Amino acid sequence: MNSIEVENLSKMYEISHRAKKSPRSIRELLSKKRYCSEFHDTAGDQRATIETFWALKDVSFTVGQGERIAIIGGNGAGKSTLLKILSRITEPSSGILRMRGKVASLLEVGTGFHPELTGRENIYLNGAVLGMRKSEISAKFDQIVDFSGVAKFLDTPVKHYSSGMYVRLAFSVSAWLDPDILIVDEVLSVGDQAFQKRCAERMKELTSDGRTVLFVSHSMQAVKAMCERALLLEKGQVASFQSVEDATNIYLRSIELGEDTVWH
């Protein structure tokens, strides 16, 4: 059974550009600056143009239960936009998205935690968001704390945490509260190598239990260590979706050639 089904998913943004009319003389330039500073009205000096930008365009793929899938591509390829749509943070402009089960996302440092609450309080808050009862969260509490290594600071507001502590606790919460689908962005690079290794082992444990993991990283070494298949995005479209070895080779070859991805 598929845990994720994506059909012709697209996301369009409208970018507004304003171009000011060039002054014909120094006197006109100075008068415009004075006028703008006094009255803050530049409407007569600007022309607005709207540019249509497709962050994603007709993206389609399916992910089965128990799979570990990497999402790779250069900056601006559409990875973050896709993750935000899958995490229900952003709505697509068109297309169909089906996801089965509870989704836990770790997209960036700070996501999902309330800065004024303590680590302990945020664990229970995140569990409640996932629809878990307090007793269910309590049953997993010690495992989360042990894995994160922040027991000493558990009753400190997370706004005082370092980025590494924040990510360790956030991943621990996401990975131990039994999500059906775990989405992890580049944030794991904040942690040290020992913690990254433990994260990889935990993600493999999840998929062995039938959970699904989506992992985004610019490190092809990490991608190969953690994932089985890779979805390669190029300019908002799917360039390749195959074994992690083949997809990463296509991506690395395109970087070496300084060209767009070789389409398959």
Side-chain angles (χ1 to χ4, degrees):
M1 180 183 293
N2 293 325
S3 59
I4 302 174
E5 297 176 359
V6 174
E7 298 178 17
N8 300 318
L9 201 68
S10 298
K11 180 63 178 180
M12 185 267 285
Y13 293 99
E14 290 186 346
I15 304 173
S16 177
H17 301 282
R18 290 189 177 275
K20 292 185 177 181
K21 294 180 180 179
S22 299
R24 291 171 293 182
S25 66
I26 295 178
R27 181 177 179 179
E28 184 177 342
L29 174 63
L30 293 175
S31 65
K32 284 179 182 292
K33 284 187 175 181
R34 181 184 177 188
Y35 180 84
C36 292
S37 63
E38 290 180 358
F39 297 100
H40 308 287
D41 181 8
T42 60
D45 300 325
Q46 295 181 332
R47 302 186 306 275
T49 59
I50 303 298
E51 175 188 354
T52 298
F53 172 71
W54 290 93
L56 294 174
K57 185 68 173 177
D58 296 327
V59 171
S60 298
F61 63 93
T62 59
V63 179
Q65 289 182 341
E67 283 198 276
R68 293 189 305 276
I69 303 297
I71 301 176
I72 60 176
N75 292 328
K79 303 185 300 298
S80 295
T81 301
L82 177 59
L83 291 196
K84 288 177 181 178
I85 292 175
L86 295 176
S87 301
R88 308 292 190 183
I89 295 173
T90 300
E91 289 293 322
S93 300
S94 61
I96 298 172
L97 170 62
R98 301 185 186 92
M99 301 182 73
R100 296 179 174 88
K102 295 183 295 184
V103 180
S105 301
L106 184 57
L107 301 187
E108 58 186 36
V109 176
T111 299
F113 279 1
H114 192 296
E116 300 295 335
L117 299 181
T118 66
R120 184 188 305 274
E121 292 167 334
N122 271 296
I123 291 173
Y124 281 95
L125 175 62
N126 275 257
V129 169
L130 286 173
M132 300 179 69
R133 293 189 295 272
K134 186 176 181 179
S135 59
E136 294 176 311
I137 303 169
S138 296
K140 298 282 185 179
F141 189 85
D142 289 342
Q143 291 171 305
I144 293 170
V145 175
D146 290 343
F147 191 91
S148 68
V150 299
K152 184 178 179 179
F153 306 97
L154 201 58
D155 293 305
T156 300
V158 297
K159 67 181 180 180
H160 298 305
Y161 285 16
S162 67
S163 57
M165 291 167 59
Y166 212 116
V167 167
R168 289 202 302 273
L169 183 59
F171 180 86
S172 301
V173 170
S174 299
W176 284 99
L177 291 181
D178 293 331
D180 297 297
I181 301 170
L182 176 61
I183 301 175
V184 182
D185 203 347
E186 189 71 46
V187 289
L188 289 186
S189 61
V190 176
D192 56 34
Q193 290 188 344
F195 182 71
Q196 290 180 31
K197 182 178 179 181
R198 292 168 63 201
C199 290
E201 292 170 353
R202 178 56 185 159
M203 286 193 277
K204 290 177 181 178
E205 290 175 4
L206 287 170
T207 53
S208 67
D209 291 335
R211 319 286 179 172
T212 299
V213 174
L214 298 183
F215 177 63
V216 173
S217 178
H218 286 288
S219 169
M220 295 303 100
Q221 182 179 356
V223 163
K224 290 178 180 179
M226 294 188 189
C227 301
E228 303 155 318
R229 292 198 292 159
L231 177 72
L232 173 58
L233 293 177
E234 176 69 40
K235 296 181 179 178
Q237 296 180 290
V238 176
S240 174
F241 189 28
Q242 51 189 304
S243 72
V244 68
E245 190 71 29
D246 290 340
T248 54
N249 285 340
I250 293 172
Y251 177 51
L252 293 173
R253 188 163 68 246
S254 71
I255 294 175
E256 291 175 359
L257 296 175
E259 299 174 350
D260 289 343
T261 299
V262 179
W263 289 70
H264 280 224

